[in-house]
Amino acid sequence: MPIHILGIRHHGPGSARRVRAALEKIKPDIVLVEGPPDADGILEWVGHDELKPPVAILVFQPDDPKKAVFYPFSEFSPEWQAILYARQNKIPVKFMDLPMANQFELRHQPTADSSLNNNVVVPDAVTLRRNPIAWLAAAAGFEEEETWWEHEFEYRQDEEQVFDAITEGMHALRTDLPLPYDREEQLREAWMRKTIRQAEKEMYTEIAVICGAWHAPALTHMPKAKDDNELLKGLPKVKTAVSWVPWTYNRLSYKSGYGAGINSPGWYEHIWNHPADDGIRWMARVARLFREEQKDISVAHVMEAVRLATALASLRGLPRPGLEELNEATLSVLCNGEDILIKLIEKSLIVSDKIGEVPIDVPRPPLQTDIEKLQKKLRLPQIADFKDYTLDLRKENDLERSIFLHRLELLGIKWGDRYDVSGKGTFKEQWRLQWDPSLSIDIIERGSWGNTVEEATNSYVKYRTQEATTLKEVCDLLESAIPAELDAAVDLLIRQINNLAAATGDVMQLMTVLPNLVQISRYGNVRKTDAALVEGIINSMITRICISLPAACTSLAEDAAAQLLELFYNMNDAILLLQQDDLTTQWQQTLSYIAHNNNTSPVIGGYATRLLSDHRQITGAELVKAFSFAMSTANPPAVAAAWLEGFLKGSGTLLLVDNDLWTVVNNWMNQLEQDTFTQLLPLLRRTFSGFSKPERRKLGEKAKSGVTTGSAAAAVELHFDEARAEKGIPIVMKMLGLKS
C-alpha cells in the first residue's frame, strides 16, 4: 500500500503549496497529520465559514488547566491545507502525534535511562545541540538556515518533487550528527508509525502523511511494530479537553516564545497569496503604509526600490528578491538609511497584528463563552494590537464596560491595564486593552469558580476574602469589588472588615486602610452603589483610631515615628474628604491631646500642632506660644529639631509669611553651640529639603537679610532701590493717562 511521506516546515507557504499540489495528485483516501489525536473530534470545524485562521487548537488538562498546549495554524500552514483538503474532499483526516493525554504526564516525570531502547546511544554532555538544518544551509553557503530554507523551499515556484530530497537530507543529518537522546521524541515517532500501521490495517490504499521534515526519515524507514509497541507500553495517561481559540500573527513569531514559530508571518501570508510577486506588490504595500504615516513616498521611489532589490538578488545568485533584499532596498531608497521606519514595517507588515476568528458555536468552557458574549455586547473586540478606551461612567454602556473589565481584573485575567485620567472627578477611566491568546488558559482555570463572569468573580472574591488574614488584604479586595459591582462578595467583605477591625488593636493598621475606605465611599456618586455600606465602618474605625492614637504616639523610635507621620498625613486628608463635622471634631480633639502631651514623640507633636494650625484651631499668639515652648532652650536641641521637622513637614510657607514664627526659629538657631549645630545639621537639612526650590531660596534670602522682627514689608524695604524705582514712574504715569 503506498504511503506518501510529505515532510514539511510548520507555517511554510512553500510547503503548504506543495502539500496541496501533492494531495491533488495523490488523491489519498486518508490523510494523517502531525498533531494531537485528542483533537480529532474538532477537525470537523475546519472549512467552516466562521473559523478563520490564524487559529489554534488548545489542549488542556481540565483538573489542572495550567497544563495546556496550543497548536497554531495559519492559512499557509501545510497542516491546515492538508486538513482543509480532506474536509473538502470528504475523506478521513486524523492527527497522529503522541496524544497530549500521555505527553502531559511524561513531561512531569523524571527522564528515563536508555534501557528502554537498546538501539539508542546516549551521547555525552558536549553533544552538539546546534539546529541540524543549519548544516545543510552552511553546505549551501548560507549563514542563516532560515534564509536557506526560504529560498530553497518557500520561494521556489517550479513543480519539482522536493519531498524526497527533504527526506533524504534529514536522513543524512539524523544518521551522521551525534544528536542528544530524547525519549519524548522517540515516543512521538513510535506513535506516528503505530497510527500509519493502523491505517494500513483498516485497508486504506493511499495514505498521505504530513509531518515535520525532521520526522520524515523515521516514518519512511520503519522498525518492527513489536519494537514500537514495547516502547509505548504502559504510558501514563490523563484526561484532556480541547477547543479552538483565536491566534495572532505576532504569537506565530519567534518573539512570542512559541518554539515552532516563524520570523515573518505577515510576509509569509503575502507570498502565499501572491506567489509570483517580484517585489512590486510588497513595495506598494510598504509605500501605502508610509503614506498613512504621512511620509512622502512616490511611484518613482517604489520602482527604484524594486530595481535595487532585484539587483541584490542577482548579485547573490538568487532567483528573485526575498524579504532580506526587499528590506535592504527599502532602507536605502524609501527610508534614506533611517532604520526606525523598518521597525514600523516589521510591526505592521512583516509580522502584522492579524487575529483569527472562531465560531461562537465551537465547544468551549462556559466562562469563555460568557466572556465572548459580553465582549460582543459591549463592543470590546479581541484585537492583537493594543487599543485605548476612555470610559465615561455616566454613560450606561461605558459603565457596563468598566464593570466587566474590573471583574476580569479581579479574576486575574489580564486583558488590559488601567491608567489615571487627567482632570477632575471620578467619572472617567482609561483602559488599554490587548488580547493575548494565552489568556484562554487563565479563563479555563478561573472557570472552576463559575459559568459566568459575575458568578465566577463573586465566588473567587469570596474565597480570597475567607483566606485573607489581614485587614489591608480585605480592604484592598473591597476597593476592587466595589467598581466591579459584586453585591454578594461586598456584603461578605464588609462583615469581614467589621470583624477584623473590631479584633485588631493595631491603630497603625486601621490608619493604613482608612484612606482607601474613604475613597471607596466616593464611588456612591458615580457608580450608583450604596456608599452607606462603608460609611458605618469608616465612622467606627475613626472612633477607634481617635481613642487609641495618643497612646501609640509615645515612646517611638525614629523609624516608627516617620512611618506614623505618613499615616497622619493620609488620615488628615481622609477626614477632610469626608466633610463630616462630628468626625472632624473628633480628629481635632485627638490632635490637640497629642500636641499637648509631653510624652508624645516630638516629630509627631510638631506635626499635630501644624495640623491644628491648618484646621484654624490654634492661631496667632497661641500658635507662637506653642512654637516658642517647643523651641525653648530648656528642651534638648535634638528634641526641638525633631519637633520643627514635624511642624514644617511638606511646606515652609509658614516661616515666610509669619515673622513671629521666623523669629523664634532664627533665635533658637543663633543660640546653638557650634558642636550642637553640627550634630543637628543633617536633621535640619532633611527638614528643609522637603520644601520647594522657591521656598528654600526665599528662606535663604530672609536668613541672609537678618530680619527677625517686624512685618514682611520690612524685609522688602531693605532691598528698595530708589533710583531704579524712579525710572518706572514716567511709564506708570503714561499708563494712567497723567502728565509727568
Side-chain angles (χ1 to χ4, degrees):
M1 295 181 186
I3 301 174
H4 307 275
I5 307 296
L6 308 180
I8 50 86
R9 180 198 186 189
H10 304 293
H11 317 304
S15 297
R17 190 173 293 110
R18 284 183 174 76
V19 163
R20 187 78 189 204
L23 293 176
E24 295 285 358
K25 183 178 180 180
I26 295 169
K27 299 190 183 306
D29 48 10
I30 187 172
V31 175
L32 304 179
V33 179
E34 181 183 336
D38 319 64
D40 282 346
I42 63 171
L43 290 181
E44 62 185 20
W45 288 94
V46 177
H48 192 286
D49 292 340
E50 296 180 11
L51 185 67
K52 301 177 182 178
V55 291
I57 292 174
L58 169 61
V59 187
F60 62 96
Q61 197 170 321
D63 57 351
D64 188 3
K66 286 296 184 184
K67 294 180 181 178
V69 66
F70 294 100
Y71 284 83
F73 300 94
S74 60
E75 187 179 5
F76 48 81
S77 296
E79 300 93 334
W80 178 266
Q81 289 299 322
I83 298 168
L84 188 61
Y85 170 86
R87 295 288 303 150
Q88 290 172 343
N89 289 275
K90 297 180 173 55
I91 61 175
V93 56
K94 295 180 179 180
F95 282 130
M96 63 174 185
D97 206 342
L98 182 66
M100 289 308 303
N102 304 116
Q103 292 195 52
F104 281 143
E105 283 297 284
L106 288 171
R107 292 175 182 180
H108 292 82
Q109 287 186 346
T111 303
D113 59 29
S114 60
S115 61
L116 290 173
N117 191 334
N118 295 327
N119 297 324
V120 177
V121 177
V122 184
D124 56 28
V126 297
T127 298
L128 178 65
R129 293 182 180 273
R130 183 184 178 193
N131 183 348
I133 295 178
W135 289 90
L136 296 178
F142 285 79
E143 293 183 2
E144 295 284 341
E145 64 267 21
E146 186 85 8
T147 305
W148 172 77
W149 183 275
E150 287 179 353
H151 282 285
E152 291 298 323
F153 298 99
E154 305 305 337
Y155 301 161
R156 187 184 291 271
Q157 294 298 308
D158 54 50
E159 294 299 326
E160 295 180 15
Q161 293 296 324
V162 297
F163 294 113
D164 291 341
I166 291 174
T167 302
E168 184 178 349
M170 295 303 160
H171 178 70
L173 290 174
R174 292 175 65 117
T175 302
D176 297 338
L177 290 181
L179 297 173
Y181 173 78
D182 189 337
R183 178 173 181 253
E184 185 176 331
E185 184 174 292
Q186 281 197 323
L187 293 172
R188 290 178 59 201
E189 291 176 347
W191 192 279
M192 293 181 195
R193 293 189 290 263
K194 178 181 177 181
T195 306
I196 294 172
R197 295 189 188 102
Q198 182 62 35
E200 290 179 309
K201 289 181 181 178
E202 294 174 2
M203 305 304 293
Y204 289 106
T205 58
E206 295 288 342
I207 303 172
V209 177
I210 291 82
C211 64
W214 181 252
H215 302 298
L219 306 185
T220 303
H221 309 284
M222 290 195 188
K224 295 180 180 179
K226 179 182 177 182
D227 295 338
D228 284 340
N229 292 336
E230 185 67 25
L231 188 64
L232 296 170
K233 184 185 297 182
L235 289 180
K237 188 176 183 180
V238 296
K239 184 179 179 181
T240 59
V242 296
S243 180
W244 285 105
V245 296
W247 205 248
T248 61
Y249 273 177
N250 55 19
R251 290 280 294 184
L252 275 177
S253 69
Y254 280 122
K255 294 179 182 178
S256 72
Y258 170 58
I262 52 177
N263 285 330
S264 45
W267 162 251
Y268 274 11
E269 181 187 52
H270 175 78
I271 61 176
W272 167 256
N273 292 322
H274 308 287
D277 181 28
D278 59 358
I280 295 177
R281 282 181 176 272
W282 178 259
M283 282 298 178
R285 292 182 64 190
V286 172
R288 181 163 59 248
L289 175 65
F290 282 2
R291 288 168 187 155
E292 290 172 355
E293 296 295 323
Q294 308 303 313
K295 305 297 180 184
D296 188 14
I297 302 296
S298 67
V299 174
H301 282 102
V302 174
M303 294 173 62
E304 182 60 30
V306 172
R307 277 197 292 265
L308 178 56
T310 304
L312 285 171
S314 179
L315 287 172
R316 293 167 179 172
L318 302 175
R320 63 170 179 158
L323 182 59
E324 183 178 356
E325 290 72 35
L326 291 168
N327 279 345
E328 290 177 8
T330 301
L331 179 63
S332 298
V333 179
L334 275 63
C335 303
N336 297 317
E338 297 291 338
D339 60 359
I340 190 169
L341 291 177
I342 291 293
K343 298 184 186 302
L344 175 63
I345 298 173
E346 180 179 356
K347 177 183 177 183
S348 301
L349 298 181
I350 297 175
V351 176
S352 172
D353 58 2
K354 184 175 181 179
I355 188 170
E357 298 179 18
V358 174
I360 194 68
D361 298 330
V362 168
R364 65 194 79 193
L367 179 60
Q368 186 173 347
T369 301
D370 189 55
I371 288 175
E372 291 176 1
K373 285 181 179 178
L374 288 170
Q375 287 172 331
K376 185 175 182 180
K377 173 188 174 184
L378 300 174
R379 298 189 296 279
L380 293 173
Q382 298 178 4
I383 56 175
D385 200 4
F386 68 81
K387 183 175 181 180
D388 292 320
Y389 293 86
T390 300
L391 306 182
D392 186 338
L393 304 183
R394 298 169 297 184
K395 298 179 180 178
E396 183 177 352
N397 189 65
D398 279 1
L399 180 58
E400 289 184 14
R401 284 176 167 181
S402 173
I403 294 169
F404 174 57
L405 294 173
H406 276 282
R407 287 174 176 174
L408 292 184
E409 189 176 55
L410 266 171
L411 278 173
I413 300 171
K414 194 67 175 175
W415 181 17
D417 294 302
R418 247 183 314 151
Y419 296 91
D420 294 331
V421 182
S422 59
K424 298 180 179 179
T426 59
F427 59 86
K428 284 189 177 181
E429 286 182 349
Q430 178 79 31
W431 291 82
R432 171 167 288 187
L433 305 183
Q434 184 174 23
W435 188 258
D436 189 322
S438 63
L439 292 174
S440 300
I441 297 176
D442 297 325
I443 294 172
I444 292 167
E445 189 174 22
R446 294 294 183 259
S448 61
W449 296 102
N451 293 335
T452 67
V453 175
E454 182 177 7
E455 179 188 354
T457 313
N458 263 310
S459 300
Y460 184 59
V461 172
K462 286 179 180 179
Y463 166 76
R464 290 182 59 188
T465 302
Q466 292 166 350
E467 292 293 309
T469 57
T470 67
L471 189 57
K472 187 177 186 309
E473 287 180 82
V474 183
C475 287
D476 288 345
L477 277 173
L478 179 62
E479 188 176 4
S480 301
I482 290 286
E485 293 199 4
L486 302 172
D487 296 339
V490 166
D491 289 341
L492 178 61
L493 283 163
I494 289 175
R495 290 197 301 271
Q496 187 76 340
I497 290 173
N498 259 328
N499 295 337
L500 290 173
T504 184
D506 187 351
V507 67
M508 294 182 68
Q509 188 178 105
L510 294 174
M511 292 178 72
T512 299
V513 303
L514 181 70
N516 286 343
L517 289 176
V518 172
Q519 290 290 336
I520 290 171
S521 69
R522 298 178 64 187
Y523 278 112
N525 297 328
V526 179
R527 294 184 173 274
K528 302 176 184 177
T529 55
D530 188 1
L533 290 173
V534 294
E535 285 179 358
I537 298 176
I538 291 172
N539 293 346
S540 64
M541 287 179 67
I542 290 176
T543 301
R544 291 191 184 99
I545 290 170
C546 289
I547 293 172
S548 305
L549 188 56
C553 295
T554 61
S555 304
L556 288 175
E558 185 176 350
D559 292 345
Q563 183 181 357
L564 188 56
L565 203 62
E566 291 301 321
L567 296 178
F568 261 85
Y569 182 84
N570 296 331
M571 176 82 179
N572 188 68
D573 280 354
I575 295 292
L576 294 175
L577 188 63
L578 286 172
Q579 296 182 349
Q580 294 185 25
D581 293 340
D582 56 335
L583 297 179
T584 302
T585 300
Q586 281 188 54
W587 177 238
Q588 290 170 352
Q589 290 172 349
T590 303
L591 290 175
S592 179
Y593 185 88
I594 293 171
H596 293 93
N597 187 353
N598 293 332
N599 294 322
T600 297
S601 174
V603 68
I604 300 296
Y607 191 51
T609 305
R610 169 64 178 273
L611 292 178
L612 286 172
S613 174
D614 291 345
H615 281 270
R616 311 303 296 171
Q617 295 299 301
I618 177 172
T619 58
E622 187 179 358
L623 178 60
V624 173
K625 180 180 177 182
F627 204 88
S628 301
F629 179 79
M631 306 303 294
S632 169
T633 55
N635 291 325
V639 173
W643 191 95
L644 180 64
E645 179 186 11
F647 185 85
L648 296 178
K649 176 177 169 57
S651 174
T653 305
L654 278 175
L655 293 181
L656 287 172
V657 300
D658 193 325
N659 272 329
D660 292 333
L661 295 181
W662 169 260
T663 300
V664 174
V665 175
N666 193 58
N667 290 341
W668 171 74
M669 295 187 68
N670 285 334
Q671 58 82 33
L672 291 175
E673 297 290 340
Q674 180 65 34
D675 291 344
T676 304
F677 178 79
T678 303
Q679 293 175 6
L680 294 180
L681 189 57
L683 180 57
L684 294 173
R685 290 188 64 179
R686 186 175 69 187
T687 300
F688 284 84
S689 67
F691 303 159
S692 65
K693 286 185 178 180
E695 286 176 334
R696 293 200 300 269
R697 177 173 52 80
K698 290 179 181 179
L699 285 170
E701 292 173 355
K702 195 168 185 178
K704 185 178 180 180
S705 70
V707 177
T708 58
T709 59
S711 65
V716 179
E717 291 177 0
L718 291 176
H719 299 282
F720 187 76
D721 189 338
E722 293 186 6
R724 187 177 181 187
E726 286 177 356
K727 293 179 181 180
I729 292 176
I731 302 299
V732 175
M733 297 290 286
K734 188 173 182 180
M735 292 173 63
L736 297 174
L738 302 175
K739 293 182 179 180
S740 57

